[in-house]
Amino acid sequence: MAKFSAPEQLNFAKPEDWPDLKQRFSRYRIATKLNKEPADFQVSALIYSMGPEAEQVYNSFVSPNDDEGEEEDFDHVLKLFDAHFVPKRNVIFERARFHSRTQEAGESVEQYIRHLYELAAHCDFHEKEEEIRDRLVIWIKDKDLSLKLQMTSDLTLKKAVDMARHSELVKQQNSEAGASGHVDEVKSKVYKNKWKKTQYEAAGRRKENEKKNFGRCGRKHARNKCPAKDRECNKCHKIGHFANKCKTRMIQDVTEEVDSLFLGSINETMTKNEATVDEVITDTEPPWRTTLVICHTPVSFKIDSGADTTIINEATYSGHLCQAET
C-alpha cells in the first residue's frame, strides 16, 4: 500500500486555515484507512498532526459534565474544533452576500458558478441547487442566454450550467475565428499597400528614365524610343542626340590653311589718274554690283559671285584707300 504523509501543522495564528486542514486530514484518514481504527486512535492522530497547540485547545473542550467517551468520538471532536475556529455565521448576512453576487466583467461562467457554490454553503438553504440556478439565470452577463434559460420550463441547475458553459465556449471560438480573420484582412491590406507602393515606385522609375531620355532630344516619348537615339548631331557630329541638346563646347576661332580660293572676276589694274576710276563712284551701278564705303571712300564691288574671298586691285587700294588712311 502507498504511504501518505500527514497534512502540515495548523498555524493557530490563522484560524481561517482550519477548513482546509480538516478537508486534507479527512482525505488522509480515508487514504491510510485510519477511519478503520478505533475512535480514540483517530482523535490522537488528528491532534498530533495539528501541532503542539492543538493539545491545549483540545483540553479546553473537556469538562466534568461531558459524557464518558464522548470526547473521544472523532466526529464530535471535529465539531468542537469547528466551533472553536469558525465563529457562528450570520445567515442573513451570508444570504445577502449570495443574492448580491453578479457575474463580474472578465469573469468566466465557470468562475461565477464556483463562487455561487461557495457562498451558498453558508446560507442554510433548504433547496440550495434551486437558489444557485435562479441566481445564475438572472445575473449572468449574457442576457440572450439569460432569456433562453428563463424560457426553459424544465430547467435544472445541471442543465443551466451546461448551457452556460456551452454558450461561452461557442462565443470564445467565434471570437478567436474573428480575430484570425481580422489578422488575415490586415495582412491582405498590408500586401495590397505594399504592392501599390511597389507599382508606384516602378512608375516613378519609368518616369525618371523618360526624363533622362528627354535630355537627348528635348521631346516626350516612351522608354527606349528616343528619336535622337541613332541620329547624328549637326553640331558635334556624334550619334545619340540633337544639336539643341548638344553639350559640346563651341569653338570660338578656327584657323585653316587654304590651298586655293575661287574668285568670280578681277578688274584690270588702274592708276589713280585713269578715267575708269570715276566709274567706281558713279551713281548708277551695273547689275549685281554695289558700292561699299571703305575708309570713307566708296568702292564698287561685284556681289553674289559665289567666290570664297573678295579682293580689290592695287591701283584702287593705292589711289584711294591709302590716301584716305593718311
Side-chain angles (χ1 to χ4, degrees), residues 34-43 72:
L34 181 61
N35 58 333
K36 304 296 183 180
E37 301 294 337
D40 57 345
F41 186 85
Q42 297 181 46
V43 172
E72 296 297 334

Side-chain angles (χ1 to χ4, degrees), residues 4-21:
F4 298 92
S5 300
E8 296 180 359
Q9 296 181 358
L10 177 66
N11 183 0
F12 281 78
K14 298 176 65 177
E16 62 272 15
D17 292 344
W18 162 249
D20 292 336
L21 184 139

Side-chain angles (χ1 to χ4, degrees), residues 51-174:
E53 294 183 57
E55 192 70 39
Q56 300 175 7
V57 175
Y58 175 72
N59 291 335
S60 68
F61 298 155
V62 180
S63 65
N65 297 327
D66 289 336
D67 294 336
E68 186 178 354
E70 183 179 5
E71 67 276 6
E72 296 297 334
D73 182 75
F74 181 78
D75 292 334
H76 177 67
V77 172
L78 285 181
K79 290 180 180 179
L80 292 176
F81 276 112
D82 283 339
H84 176 78
F85 289 116
V86 182
K88 187 176 175 126
R89 295 181 181 275
N90 185 335
V91 175
I92 301 299
F93 173 73
E94 296 297 337
R95 290 184 178 179
R97 290 180 61 199
F98 176 83
H99 288 298
S100 62
R101 183 67 166 87
T102 61
Q103 185 181 8
E104 299 175 353
E107 184 180 33
S108 67
V109 170
E110 189 67 32
Q111 292 173 329
Y112 181 50
I113 294 171
R114 185 170 63 249
H115 200 194
L116 289 179
Y117 269 99
E118 293 174 358
L119 293 175
H122 309 294
C123 294
D124 292 340
F125 288 132
H126 294 290
E127 299 292 341
K128 183 171 69 174
E129 290 193 354
E130 289 187 3
E131 295 288 346
I132 297 175
R133 178 201 64 188
D134 294 346
R135 195 71 198 168
L136 175 64
V137 170
I138 297 173
W139 293 108
I140 193 170
K141 291 186 69 65
D142 189 345
K143 297 308 177 184
D144 293 334
L145 176 61
S146 174
L147 181 61
K148 185 176 181 180
L149 293 173
Q150 294 177 43
M151 297 175 64
T152 305
S153 59
D154 59 342
L155 186 66
T156 61
L157 176 59
K158 183 179 182 307
K159 192 172 183 178
V161 170
D162 290 342
M163 292 175 64
R165 288 172 176 168
H166 180 71
S167 176
E168 186 178 60
L169 179 61
V170 170
K171 286 190 174 183
Q172 183 178 359
Q173 292 174 344
N174 290 337

